[in-house]
Amino acid sequence: DALAGPQVRARLASWRYAETSQGRPLPLAAGSLVGLGDLAYEWNALAEAEDQLQTGLKLSRQWGNHDSTVHSLLSLAKVEQARGDLLAARSLLEEAMNLAQQHTLDPTSAPRLAAMGINLQLAQGNVAGALDELRQRGLSADSPADLLREAELVVLAQALLASGRAGQAHPLLDRLVQAAGQSGRRGDAVRLLALSSLAWQAEGEPQQALIDLTSALRLAQPNDMVRSFVAVSYTHLRAHETVLD
């Protein structure tokens, strides 16, 4: 949370008040609060993110909105992972997965749940296990860009990088960056360009790495997208350390 300044907190407080009635969250504001939590996470304001997400989770449960509940749990798992508490992140993920087994959810939920589980494996340094699970799910470096499965494909690129196969990761990342750019998904483009920069660096191409990093920073700056860089770098470095060991 050290990177989250007073201006970030003031903006979050102002936006949250707009979703309330006399200071109390409106029941139908669950989705908006979860969205604010995701935004706070991106700004690295983890305490504020948890507050927004917990409130959104409570309202989602009250109204029986299972999609929003799963989204809240997944986002809270990301917050705990950012704090380094992988056990708490795993517990939240398992709760979300249990809920997904009991109800019919949005088709994007299953790939996102799978991606989060594999991402936690990477965070624990289990690169081989992550790659094996991705293969079992039918994904490879040759997989086409697919918005529905993009979360899994991003984790695949991270796993390939961590296993020293930047050359295989790069064509995949190029396809994902192009798809994100064509559909105007700025946040996804930032994360993918940050990964691409790491891949170029791993291939011994520092100049190209700098180009992608500069592009990512240019896209990230207007929205203060701190966590995209921190999360990508931490997962890569943690997994890579284990491979080296």
Side-chain angles (χ1 to χ4, degrees), residues 6-23:
Q7 290 183 335
V8 168
R9 293 186 172 89
R11 274 187 282 178
L12 286 169
S14 173
W15 292 341
R16 177 166 180 168
Y17 188 80
E19 299 293 340
T20 67
S21 174
Q22 297 180 344

Side-chain angles (χ1 to χ4, degrees), residues 1 4 9 12 16 30 33-59 71-83 85 88-89 92:
D1 285 284
R9 293 186 172 89
L12 286 169
R16 177 166 180 168
L33 290 170
V34 174
L36 285 176
D38 287 339
L39 187 58
Y41 167 85
E42 196 58 59
W43 287 341
N44 207 48
L46 299 182
E48 285 80 1
E50 182 180 24
D51 181 47
Q52 309 280 3
L53 292 167
Q54 287 287 5
T55 304
L57 176 60
K58 180 180 178 181
L59 293 175
H71 187 160
S72 303
L73 291 167
L74 272 174
S75 294
L76 283 166
K78 288 167 61 179
V79 169
E80 293 301 339
Q81 182 181 0
R83 288 172 169 163
D85 193 341
L92 288 160

Side-chain angles (χ1 to χ4, degrees), residues 34-240:
V34 174
L36 285 176
D38 287 339
L39 187 58
Y41 167 85
E42 196 58 59
W43 287 341
N44 207 48
L46 299 182
E48 285 80 1
E50 182 180 24
D51 181 47
Q52 309 280 3
L53 292 167
Q54 287 287 5
T55 304
L57 176 60
K58 180 180 178 181
L59 293 175
S60 298
R61 284 172 167 160
Q62 286 177 353
W63 282 84
N65 188 330
H66 304 304
D67 285 304
S68 184
T69 300
V70 167
H71 187 160
S72 303
L73 291 167
L74 272 174
S75 294
L76 283 166
K78 288 167 61 179
V79 169
E80 293 301 339
Q81 182 181 0
R83 288 172 169 163
D85 193 341
L86 300 185
L87 286 177
R90 173 64 64 179
S91 177
L92 288 160
L93 174 61
E94 289 176 354
E95 186 177 350
M97 293 177 73
N98 288 336
L99 190 63
Q101 291 174 353
Q102 299 169 23
H103 303 279
T104 301
L105 301 177
D106 184 278
T108 62
S109 295
R112 290 174 60 227
L113 287 166
M116 185 64 196
I118 299 168
N119 189 271
L120 288 176
Q121 287 191 60
L122 280 180
Q124 293 171 321
N126 186 7
V127 179
L131 284 169
D132 185 57
E133 186 169 343
L134 287 160
R135 278 193 294 269
Q136 290 179 25
R137 294 186 60 81
L139 295 174
S140 72
D142 297 323
S143 294
D146 181 346
L147 182 58
L148 184 64
R149 306 196 69 181
E150 184 170 282
E152 295 169 285
L153 291 169
V154 171
V155 177
L156 172 59
Q158 290 177 297
L160 289 170
L161 276 173
S163 64
R165 286 179 264 182
Q168 294 182 39
H170 230 130
L172 173 61
L173 286 168
D174 287 344
R175 292 193 295 276
L176 294 173
V177 168
Q178 183 177 11
Q182 289 175 344
S183 57
R185 291 179 286 115
R186 181 186 293 263
D188 292 335
V190 169
R191 283 181 281 273
L192 290 163
L193 283 166
L195 266 178
S196 183
S197 177
L198 287 174
W200 281 118
Q201 189 68 36
E203 289 187 272
E205 297 285 351
Q207 194 63 38
Q208 188 61 49
L210 182 60
I211 291 172
D212 279 358
L213 181 60
T214 301
S215 297
L217 288 168
R218 187 179 297 114
L219 286 172
Q221 187 176 12
N223 297 305
D224 299 326
M225 297 180 68
V226 176
R227 180 48 58 177
S228 288
F229 295 95
V230 177
V232 165
S233 300
Y234 175 80
T235 299
H236 172 70
L237 291 172
R238 180 67 188 88
H240 191 61

